[in-house]
Amino acid sequence: MNQQTTLFSNEKLMAMIIPLFLEQLLIMLVGMADTLVVSYAGEAAVSGVSLVNQFNTIFIYLFTALASGGAVVISQYIGRKKNDDAGESASQLLSFSTIFSILIAVMVLIGNEGMLRLMFGKVEDSVMHACITYLRISAYSYPALAVYNAGAALFRSIGKTSVTMYLSVISNIINVIGNFIGVFVLRAGVAGVAYPSLIARTFSAVMITVLCFQRKNEVFYRCKWIFRWNVDFMKQILKIAIPNGMENGVFQLVKVALSGIVALFGTYQIAANGVAQSIWSLAALAGVAMGPIFITVIGQCMGNGDADAAEHNFKRLTRITLLISSAWNLLIFLLTPFFMKFYALQPETKRLVIWLVLIHNVFNAAAYPFSGALSNGLRAAGDVKFTMYVSVISTIAVRLLLSWFLGIVLKMGVIGIAIAMVCDWSIRAVIFFWRQKSGKWKTFQVI
């Protein structure tokens, strides 16, 4: 048994997977609590927060893509036993993330109303006022989000995912308590929900940055690295981050387009799709949580020049992902009729939700581990352009165009859109599985 296989024992993998899964679950539950609390501030507040969150997601994905690029580089340097280079890469990631997020925040603060009207058209004045208030406060938190993601990339790269989990627990407690105070005590409406998020994100950013300076970590920040621009390290990070960011950007734009298609199908289908999507997000947690694990493990193996260990761990992690994802998706499907009791929906709407969840969960268990989590492993090995091209083409040609054909032309409605989504996953799954089997990814270099 080689060194990298031994390094990532089953016990160590579980110690990485469980905190990441719990962190993602907590974030989702708090998001649901946020929606519940803000509903007491009025319909305009709910609409404003919902619309702005779609807008915020674009930037959150950009910061995540940047952090993922940093995680790949950091992991590969750790695999090479070059911890100083890993630390300098992490420090450069922090510098660039801070500057980039500040520029984005300034841009949004200057042009917020124009951007919102361009995206959402002529919504009611009360809703637009709520949107503007929420977006402005959200923009202040962009640097905190980017800084936190940079620190999280470092800790996940060294396998200490419990650190981000504990920080997430504390920050989300701050957020929930703040929401209750803001909405029910101060009666501040949208601002009563936005400011607690800003405070919680700032807390997380400050705490993880302090922890990243601790020299007891095998990789850590240094001030001299943060304030010294290193073009080579940034090129390595952006080599991964830019294709990943473009891929995520196209995905978000397609999601917006699909929202417009869903709006054509009538009230009961729109309601069913909205409820199903909230359950889908919960069901997808297992596959999403495994993505950073692939980056850390495959990145370290490839950084060490041990392609055989990387191939072994590709198979191993894929088996684990399939097992966890299958069990979790089955559990969520079995709980779906119970969830339906909390929604005031017509019987036909509830039946449609259950069908949508069934379609999603079957393929989320069988195909998504290959189209989602496994593709992160290919990126960690440096095979970023191939994964980007496949994902972008499949998202547009399969998910978007097939949604239009099945949903509108064949009049299948939201069922057609769900089928198009799982077809997208299935095609990507087959291509990425073939790519991993081909061994072509072994020829790429990140550092």
Side-chain angles (χ1 to χ4, degrees), residues 3 5-6 8 14 75 98 139 168 170 180 196 199 215-216 218 245-246 283 295 321 342 349 379 390:
Q3 184 181 2
T5 305
T6 306
F8 294 104
M14 286 301 107
S75 296
T98 303
S168 183
I170 298 169
F180 275 95
I199 294 167
R215 298 201 172 194
K216 66 180 182 181
E218 59 181 295
M246 291 176 65
I295 290 176
T321 307
F342 295 93
T349 306
R379 292 185 191 94
V390 170

Side-chain angles (χ1 to χ4, degrees), residues 48-209:
V49 170
S50 175
L51 291 173
V52 171
N53 278 337
Q54 293 180 40
F55 188 75
N56 281 339
T57 301
I58 297 171
F59 300 116
I60 291 171
Y61 270 96
L62 287 177
F63 303 147
T64 303
L66 186 57
S68 295
V72 170
V73 174
I74 295 165
S75 296
Q76 290 218 359
Y77 274 124
I78 292 171
R80 287 194 179 187
K81 304 295 187 292
K82 293 184 176 181
N83 288 356
D84 279 355
D85 286 341
E88 187 164 359
S89 297
S91 302
Q92 291 289 291
L93 174 62
L94 173 65
S95 299
F96 189 86
S97 297
T98 303
I99 295 168
F100 178 64
S101 60
I102 289 173
L103 291 175
I104 293 291
V106 169
M107 179 186 73
V108 171
L109 287 168
I110 291 172
N112 56 83
E113 184 171 354
M115 292 176 182
L116 290 170
R117 292 198 182 278
L118 181 65
M119 287 189 67
F120 305 123
K122 295 182 178 180
V123 296
E124 295 178 12
D125 289 342
S126 59
V127 174
M128 180 54 67
H129 178 72
C131 284
I132 293 170
T133 301
Y134 191 69
L135 181 58
R136 282 175 177 168
I137 300 169
S138 293
Y140 294 134
S141 73
Y142 289 169
L145 271 172
V147 168
Y148 172 77
N149 279 330
L154 189 158
F155 275 104
R156 288 168 183 164
S157 297
I158 61 178
K160 293 184 177 180
T161 55
S162 60
V163 171
T164 56
M165 181 192 71
Y166 291 132
L167 280 178
S168 183
V169 169
I170 298 169
S171 66
N172 280 305
I173 289 173
I174 293 171
N175 193 14
V176 170
I177 293 174
N179 285 345
F180 275 95
I181 294 173
V183 173
F184 297 116
V185 179
L186 301 178
R187 301 199 177 276
V190 169
V193 176
Y195 277 114
S197 294
L198 171 60
I199 294 167
R201 288 169 177 174
T202 303
F203 166 82
S204 295
V206 171
M207 288 304 301
I208 204 163
T209 302

Side-chain angles (χ1 to χ4, degrees), residues 111-333:
N112 56 83
E113 184 171 354
M115 292 176 182
L116 290 170
R117 292 198 182 278
L118 181 65
M119 287 189 67
F120 305 123
K122 295 182 178 180
V123 296
E124 295 178 12
D125 289 342
S126 59
V127 174
M128 180 54 67
H129 178 72
C131 284
I132 293 170
T133 301
Y134 191 69
L135 181 58
R136 282 175 177 168
I137 300 169
S138 293
Y140 294 134
S141 73
Y142 289 169
L145 271 172
V147 168
Y148 172 77
N149 279 330
L154 189 158
F155 275 104
R156 288 168 183 164
S157 297
I158 61 178
K160 293 184 177 180
T161 55
S162 60
V163 171
T164 56
M165 181 192 71
Y166 291 132
L167 280 178
S168 183
V169 169
I170 298 169
S171 66
N172 280 305
I173 289 173
I174 293 171
N175 193 14
V176 170
I177 293 174
N179 285 345
F180 275 95
I181 294 173
V183 173
F184 297 116
V185 179
L186 301 178
R187 301 199 177 276
V190 169
V193 176
Y195 277 114
S197 294
L198 171 60
I199 294 167
R201 288 169 177 174
T202 303
F203 166 82
S204 295
V206 171
M207 288 304 301
I208 204 163
T209 302
V210 170
L211 292 172
C212 284
F213 274 104
Q214 291 186 335
R215 298 201 172 194
K216 66 180 182 181
N217 299 322
E218 59 181 295
V219 176
F220 50 85
Y221 291 158
R222 283 188 178 179
C223 288
K224 68 176 183 178
W225 292 334
I226 292 172
F227 297 106
R228 183 178 66 198
W229 194 253
N230 190 312
V231 176
D232 292 333
F233 284 131
M234 279 315 308
K235 282 182 179 178
Q236 291 168 356
I237 292 170
L238 294 176
K239 181 181 176 182
I240 307 294
I242 290 174
N244 199 14
M246 291 176 65
E247 178 184 330
N248 287 330
V250 169
F251 177 72
Q252 287 305 310
L253 290 174
V254 168
K255 279 186 69 177
V256 172
L258 291 178
S259 297
I261 294 177
V262 170
L264 302 173
F265 297 146
T267 304
Y268 104 92
Q269 291 207 49
I270 294 171
N273 187 71
V275 173
Q277 284 198 353
S278 65
I279 300 173
W280 290 352
S281 298
L282 187 61
L285 281 180
V288 171
M290 287 300 297
I293 307 297
F294 271 84
I295 290 176
T296 299
V297 175
I298 303 303
Q300 289 195 27
C301 291
M302 293 303 290
N304 194 40
D306 195 342
D308 289 338
E311 186 163 20
H312 171 83
N313 281 300
F314 255 122
K315 296 174 183 176
R316 187 167 163 232
L317 289 173
T318 301
R319 286 195 299 269
I320 292 172
T321 307
L322 282 168
L323 178 62
I324 296 174
S325 191
S326 297
W328 181 250
N329 276 275
L330 176 60
L331 174 64
I332 297 302
F333 178 69

